[in-house]
């Protein structure tokens, strides 16, 4: 038995738990590896036939290109065919399993998505994780056995049959990713505008945009990639940006790309009118506007909610205070940096790995959490700080731009040696150089000699 007390720390006996991990993407694989290392009995539920999560390229697109229809057949991956990582591979690898170049693979410093998938497949093979995965098992319900139990019912269905089965676990780790449920821009007239609207979740290749006039909303990494790619075939591309100092202009060295402020409205005659009064008669609007955290299977009677893309309350983005440590989340935080109107976000590989190690040791009883009240107070302090500093709620899981404070906090909790200085320095060096100096071809910039940079 486990015993919880309401003072200071949550003491737990060291023992092995039966743990369900939801999802076999990067977060699920890292969580499974760390749980296995701690001696827990792990089952990973993966609704598709392959591991890798969002890194599995799927040429299919959804029947609803905006992703608004809840009854649509969901395609999990948002990967487009040409996608390459937006950080050097040295920062993409795990602490004890580097992302090495292989002669028969993609040896570029910024490899394509197929190389990342191969890396994850090698990782799962080398740590004997594949045998833990139940493929084609879609989780449809995660719920406590009763209001006072720390046991959880996990209910799933398989692709072969419509019958549903369930099993009881002592802990559940949610690792289902957050690049599947689209967020879209909203503006007057969008429902009656006669053109085609899609979310970048359903973008795969540029061919459908040949000779079209396209309006693209957004300024993140996918928006930047898609803008560049479709401009090679489209007649015109007009980018709508939220930044306050944006005005109508044609981009230098680009014959068919214009920038505008946000969309003010769309008309039934096909016009897209921007906030400064400029307009264009467009064929297609692409929403490169990000994603929602989405847990349709999770039932907590309101204890955990998603409000304006804030998942909460969560202590350190992982544990709901009232349900800790029996329910946890991995991979929610992200870090963004803004340069020259571009929002550059990166895959938080290091964060996922450190979170996985932390929760695995908490569940094994080797590390203690603060009591429920203390964790809840910490969450409220975060919310209050965000409110006082004017940060919107949907930025709750966006970490500090210029520091590795969260990563260093996790390292300290785990009792690990301090992170090498080069990790933090290279990360912010890359984020600064990528949009400012190298232009569209930053990934192939001939001065990306990471080994030399680290030595210096």
């Amino acid at each position: 038995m486990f015993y919880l007390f309401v003072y200071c720390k949550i003491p737990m006996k060291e023992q092995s738990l039966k743990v369900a991990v939801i999802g076999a993407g990067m977060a699920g694989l890292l969580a499974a590896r760390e749980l296995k290392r701690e001696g827990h009995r792990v089952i990973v539920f993966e609704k598709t036939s392959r591991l890798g999560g969002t890194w599995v390229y799927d040429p299919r697109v959804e029947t609803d290109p905006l992703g608004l229809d809840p009854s649509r057949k969901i395609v999990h991956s948002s990967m487009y065919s040409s996608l390459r990582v937006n950080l050097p591979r040295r920062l993409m690898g795990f602490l004890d399993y580097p992302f090495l170049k292989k002669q028969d693979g993609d040896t570029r410093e910024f490899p394509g998505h197929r190389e990342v998938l191969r890396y994850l497949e090698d990782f799962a093979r080398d740590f004997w994780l594949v045998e833990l995965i139940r493929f084609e098992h879609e989780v449809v319900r995660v719920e406590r056995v009763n209001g006072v139990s720390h046991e959880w019912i996990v209910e799933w269905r398989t692709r072969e049959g419509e019958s549903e089965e369930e099993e009881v676990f002592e802990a559940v780790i949610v690792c289902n990713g957050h690049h599947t449920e689209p967020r879209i821009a909203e503006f007057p007239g969008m429902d009656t505008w006669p053109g085609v609207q899609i979310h970048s979740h359903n973008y795969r290749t540029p061919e459908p945009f040949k000779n079209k006039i396209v309006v693209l909303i957004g300024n993140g990494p996918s928006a930047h990639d898609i803008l560049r790619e479709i401009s090679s075939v489209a007649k015109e591309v007009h980018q709508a940006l939220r930044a306050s100092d944006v005005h109508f202009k044609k981009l230098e060295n680009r014959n068919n790309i214009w920038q505008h402020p946000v969309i003010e409205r769309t008309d039934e005659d096909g016009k897209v009118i921007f906030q400064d009064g400029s307009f264009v008669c467009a064929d297609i609007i692409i929403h490169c506007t990000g994603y929602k955290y989405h847990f349709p299977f999770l039932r907590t009677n309101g204890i955990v909610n998603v409000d304006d893309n804030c998942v909460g309350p969560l202590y350190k983005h992982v544990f709901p205070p009232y349900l800790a440590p029996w329910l946890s989340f991995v991979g929610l935080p992200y870090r963004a940096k803004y340069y020259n109107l571009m929002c550059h976000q990166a895959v938080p590989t290091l964060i996922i790995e450190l979170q996985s190690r932390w929760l695995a040791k908490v569940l094994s009883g080797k590390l203690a959490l603060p009591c429920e009240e203390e964790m809840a107070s910490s969450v409220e302090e975060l919310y209050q700080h965000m409110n006082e500093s004017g940060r919107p709620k949907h930025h709750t899981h966006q970490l500090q731009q210029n520091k590795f404070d969260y990563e260093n906090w996790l390292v300290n909790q785990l009792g690990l040696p301090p992170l090498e200085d080069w990790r933090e320095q290279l990360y912010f060096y890359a984020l600064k150089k990528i949009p400012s100096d190298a232009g569209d071809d930053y990934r192939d910039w001939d001065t990306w000699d990471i080994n030399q940079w680290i030595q210096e």
Side-chain angles (χ1 to χ4, degrees):
M1 290 291 295
F2 290 78
Y3 301 92
L4 299 181
F5 301 87
V6 293
Y7 60 85
C8 191
K9 298 284 185 179
I10 299 180
M12 298 172 59
K13 294 181 179 180
E14 290 191 24
Q15 68 178 38
S16 168
L17 296 178
K18 183 181 178 183
V19 185
V21 176
I22 314 300
M26 181 181 288
L29 294 174
L30 277 166
R33 197 269 297 263
E34 298 305 327
L35 290 164
K36 183 180 177 184
R37 280 178 163 176
E38 289 297 317
H40 299 297
R41 292 157 286 144
V42 186
I43 295 176
V44 181
F45 291 89
E46 170 54 47
K47 67 179 181 181
T48 71
S49 60
R50 297 186 67 181
L51 63 85
T54 197
W55 293 102
V56 178
Y57 174 72
D58 190 338
R60 298 176 302 157
V61 296
E62 296 178 351
T63 52
D64 176 6
L66 274 180
L68 297 178
D69 182 0
S71 64
R72 72 193 187 281
K73 184 174 178 59
I74 294 175
V75 176
H76 180 76
S77 180
S78 298
M79 201 68 55
Y80 38 96
S81 180
S82 64
L83 185 140
R84 293 169 63 184
V85 300
N86 57 2
L87 282 176
R89 67 193 304 146
R90 186 69 62 93
L91 293 173
M92 295 287 295
F94 309 145
L95 291 172
D96 58 356
Y97 196 82
F99 190 8
L100 301 176
K101 298 179 181 181
K102 297 188 176 182
Q103 290 185 350
D104 59 340
D106 185 344
T107 61
R108 294 174 294 181
E109 191 59 53
F110 293 78
H113 57 82
R114 293 171 182 82
E115 186 75 359
V116 181
L117 178 60
R118 177 181 174 179
Y119 169 72
L120 295 176
E121 290 172 338
D122 290 346
F123 175 76
R125 181 200 64 229
D126 291 347
F127 287 96
W128 300 92
L129 302 179
V130 179
E131 62 195 41
L132 306 179
I133 304 173
R134 294 182 182 176
F135 291 104
E136 297 186 339
H137 280 58
E138 180 183 5
V139 173
V140 296
R141 181 170 65 102
V142 173
E143 187 174 21
R144 284 195 295 174
V145 171
N146 55 57
V148 296
S149 173
H150 297 302
E151 294 184 319
W152 292 80
I153 296 172
V154 175
E155 185 177 359
W156 70 86
R157 59 170 169 250
T158 60
R159 182 173 296 183
E160 291 76 16
E162 296 184 0
S163 62
E164 297 178 350
E165 301 179 56
E166 64 182 45
E167 193 170 344
V168 175
F169 292 83
E170 294 168 285
V172 175
I173 319 296
V174 179
C175 305
N176 67 320
H178 47 87
H179 293 98
T180 297
E181 190 71 13
R183 295 180 69 185
I184 63 168
E186 296 183 358
F187 42 82
M190 66 178 298
D191 292 337
T192 56
W193 187 70
V196 174
Q197 295 188 63
I198 76 166
H199 189 275
S200 57
H201 174 67
N202 289 304
Y203 174 82
R204 296 295 182 267
T205 61
E207 285 75 19
F209 304 90
K210 187 174 182 179
N211 298 324
K212 302 294 185 181
I213 297 177
V214 182
V215 172
L216 183 146
I217 306 171
N219 66 335
S222 62
H224 184 76
D225 285 347
I226 295 170
L227 176 75
R228 179 183 62 175
E229 191 163 79
I230 65 173
S231 68
S232 65
V233 299
K235 182 178 181 181
E236 297 176 8
V237 183
H238 298 261
Q239 184 181 21
L241 299 168
R242 252 190 327 197
S244 59
D245 56 346
V246 174
H247 57 276
F248 174 55
K249 68 176 182 179
K250 191 173 186 178
L251 291 190
E252 294 182 10
N253 303 319
R254 293 291 187 179
N255 294 325
N256 64 340
I257 300 179
W258 289 262
Q259 283 186 341
H260 303 257
V262 295
I263 296 174
E264 183 173 275
R265 72 177 193 276
T266 52
D267 290 346
E268 293 185 23
D269 62 1
K271 285 182 182 176
V272 177
I273 298 94
F274 301 94
Q275 206 169 55
D276 62 353
S278 62
F279 67 89
V280 62
C281 292
D283 302 301
I284 302 173
I285 297 176
I286 307 177
H287 295 246
C288 299
T289 44
Y291 297 87
K292 302 175 185 177
Y293 297 107
H294 190 55
F295 315 103
F297 51 83
L298 188 58
R299 302 180 189 178
T300 64
N301 291 323
I303 296 174
V304 178
N305 292 291
V306 182
D307 181 16
D308 192 17
N309 227 30
C310 166
V311 185
L314 293 181
Y315 176 66
K316 301 298 182 181
H317 308 282
V318 175
F319 293 106
Y322 184 69
L323 300 173
W326 322 110
L327 177 68
S328 58
F329 297 77
V330 173
L332 299 187
Y334 64 95
R335 186 172 274 106
K337 193 96 173 159
Y338 296 85
Y339 288 106
N340 299 332
L341 304 180
M342 181 180 176
C343 173
H344 187 85
Q345 298 182 12
V347 175
T349 305
L350 177 61
I351 292 171
I352 293 172
E353 182 173 6
L354 293 173
Q355 286 182 330
S356 297
R357 292 191 184 193
W358 180 42
L359 70 86
K361 288 186 179 295
V362 167
L363 289 175
S364 69
K366 294 179 180 177
L367 293 177
L369 290 174
C371 66
E372 178 188 328
E373 290 81 0
E374 194 174 332
M375 289 190 285
S377 176
S378 174
V379 176
E380 287 303 316
E381 287 177 9
L382 171 63
Y383 292 166
Q384 182 177 349
H385 175 72
M386 290 183 60
N387 185 56
E388 292 173 351
S389 60
R391 288 179 60 195
K393 180 178 286 188
H394 62 264
H395 285 175
T396 298
H397 304 293
Q398 178 177 312
L399 302 176
Q400 278 189 290
Q401 293 185 13
N402 300 310
K403 296 181 180 179
F404 265 27
D405 283 0
Y406 182 68
E407 292 90 330
N408 290 328
W409 183 88
L410 288 168
V411 165
N412 184 62
Q413 293 295 302
L414 291 163
L416 296 174
L419 294 171
E420 305 96 324
D421 290 341
W422 67 262
R423 291 184 183 275
E424 183 171 351
Q425 293 171 7
L426 178 58
Y427 181 91
F428 293 113
Y429 173 82
L431 259 62
K432 182 177 181 180
K433 286 293 182 182
I434 284 169
S436 61
D437 290 351
D440 288 344
D441 299 323
Y442 71 85
R443 293 180 178 93
D444 294 315
W445 203 20
D446 59 7
T447 56
W448 278 111
D449 189 338
I450 304 301
N451 290 326
Q452 180 180 349
W453 188 92
I454 291 175
Q455 290 173 4
E456 293 176 354

